[in-house]
Amino acid sequence: MVRHRTIMKNIKKIIPVMMAAALTCTAVPMAAHADGAKVVTIGANLTDEQRKSMYDYFGTTPEAVNTIEVNNADERKYMEGIASEAQIGNQTYSCSYVEPTTSGGIQVKVGNLTFVTSSMIASTLLTSGVENCNVVAAAPFEVSGTGALTGIMMAYEKASGETLSEEQKSAATEELVTTGALADAIGKEDAEKLMNEVKKEVIEKDLTDTDKIQDAITDAAKDSNITLTEEQMAQINSLMKNISQYDYDVKSLKKTLENLEGKAEDSGFFSNLWTSVKNFFTGGSDSSDGGIINDTKDEILGDNAVIDSTLESLGKDNNQEDNGDSEDEGGFWDKVTGFFKNLFGGSDDDSKEDAETEDNTENKEEAIPENSDGSEGTDNTGLDGNSNIDDVNPEGTENGINNAIEGTDADTPADINETNGDTSDNTGSGTDTTVTGTDTSTVNP
């Protein structure tokens, strides 16, 4: 048994090293490739100092990314007729940082945006036709953020080389404004949940009929214990009717919406294994780990900044200050072997447990004496945790005499003769002498 345990432990140690060595050859070239294009949008009305602070917050520089300046005319292109003049304003301060990805859905972090949330932006980006990307939207001081979506969509198109449908971009803007207005009335969390549930129902079941959409809204509101006015119901119905006419990848949409609700489904061991390996060596730009979101520096925005992220729904902590810069800890080889050790359960704690288990097993086998013919003796440890009586009281056994001692602590064997008198004189063939309730801890304190 001990030999088997030792072999398995050695295999457990060897597998991570072998796999790490096999993958290192291909991993290094992969890591050398640059990530997909990243684009920053800067509000046209920011000062030079404020612009610099936004690059600092994003954790990048103007030289490392492509930059687009967004002005009020750009925002009005999609917001006029949907948002109020007060919401549109005449200045543009919102900024964004966008990184297209190939999987993982849409992850968003916002800073200093008071009207819109990370969940609202992620959901509306789905409506615009985006399926996978990481986004940071922020301003150097508190703003409504209603115009942030415009800059994000512009950045995504430039970064990905993909042209989004103008109609879908308008629908996305309408959704953002509608959800924001609903949030003012019933609360942000309830508004986000309701809109996401209705949209998922409409797209997944291909609902285009007004009455069926109305039923979906009514059911979602009832399930969430939300009371809506007739005007609110009509606004949501009109929006969903508009959204229902476009084609969406249902799988991608469900993934992002479930991410926002914190219940992303497990895609299977081997799928997750490959994703983990790929993300480890490529920097993780293809997954839902947040990518550029992890580079943000919240302290730049001040202690009172309004911050929220869709990654919080997944229970992931992406605050750089909290996590520290693990990139510099240990060498490359340590990172590789450490990754596979953790993957296959070969952590230090596991190794310690294995060692303790093996030691206990070996001690147990040492406690079992061999018979005179060299064969393994009988293990009497099954008697309420007692060790073989020959180890406890070797003088008390003659001619096959069995001394079964109940309750004896095998870790602190005592001299039974000192505690209970001279029991070793009972020498008859086949005679059993039983000492009950002996607590050896009082014998050898």
Side-chain angles (χ1 to χ4, degrees), residues 113-129:
L113 306 187
T114 59
F115 182 75
V116 300
T117 66
S118 59
S119 178
M120 290 182 196
I121 290 178
S123 185
T124 53
L125 280 175
L126 281 173
T127 301
S128 74

Side-chain angles (χ1 to χ4, degrees), residues 131-313:
E131 294 179 1
N132 302 286
C133 72
N134 296 318
V135 174
V136 183
F141 44 83
E142 289 190 3
V143 297
S144 68
T146 51
L149 181 62
T150 299
I152 294 169
M153 292 187 295
M154 292 171 64
Y156 178 81
E157 288 182 317
K158 184 174 181 62
S160 66
E162 176 185 351
T163 301
L164 301 174
S165 161
E166 291 297 318
E167 290 77 14
Q168 285 180 252
K169 287 191 286 187
S170 293
T173 303
E174 180 185 354
E175 180 183 344
L176 185 67
V177 174
T178 301
T179 307
L182 186 62
D184 284 343
I186 66 174
K188 290 181 179 179
E189 187 174 341
D190 284 341
E192 292 168 359
K193 182 178 179 181
L194 176 68
M195 296 294 282
N196 289 344
E197 285 297 326
V198 174
K199 183 162 67 173
K200 184 165 63 175
E201 185 83 358
V202 167
I203 294 175
E204 188 175 2
K205 294 185 178 180
D206 195 23
L207 303 181
T208 57
D209 182 75
T210 301
D211 291 337
K212 291 183 178 180
I213 293 175
Q214 185 69 28
D215 291 339
I217 298 171
T218 301
D219 291 341
K222 182 178 180 181
D223 291 342
S224 299
N225 196 27
I226 295 172
T227 301
L228 299 174
T229 66
E230 290 186 5
E231 182 180 0
Q232 290 167 339
M233 294 276 279
Q235 287 177 334
I236 298 172
N237 199 320
S238 174
L239 170 64
M240 294 301 164
K241 178 76 172 177
N242 185 13
I243 291 175
S244 69
Q245 63 183 305
Y246 306 114
D247 293 327
Y248 294 97
D249 184 317
V250 176
K251 184 177 180 179
S252 295
L253 180 135
K254 286 182 65 178
K255 178 177 178 61
T256 289
L257 292 181
E258 288 175 356
N259 280 350
L260 299 181
E261 296 172 9
K263 58 179 183 179
E265 296 180 356
D266 188 353
S267 57
F269 174 76
F270 288 105
S271 176
N272 288 335
L273 171 62
W274 171 242
T275 299
S276 297
V277 173
K278 181 172 62 174
N279 292 341
F280 178 79
F281 289 119
T282 62
S285 60
D286 289 348
S287 74
S288 58
D289 68 351
I292 58 174
I293 293 176
N294 298 297
D295 299 330
T296 55
K297 298 177 174 60
D298 292 346
E299 65 274 11
I300 299 290
L301 301 184
D303 296 335
N304 298 321
V306 179
I307 306 286
D308 86 271
S309 168
T310 58
L311 291 171
E312 294 172 1
S313 301

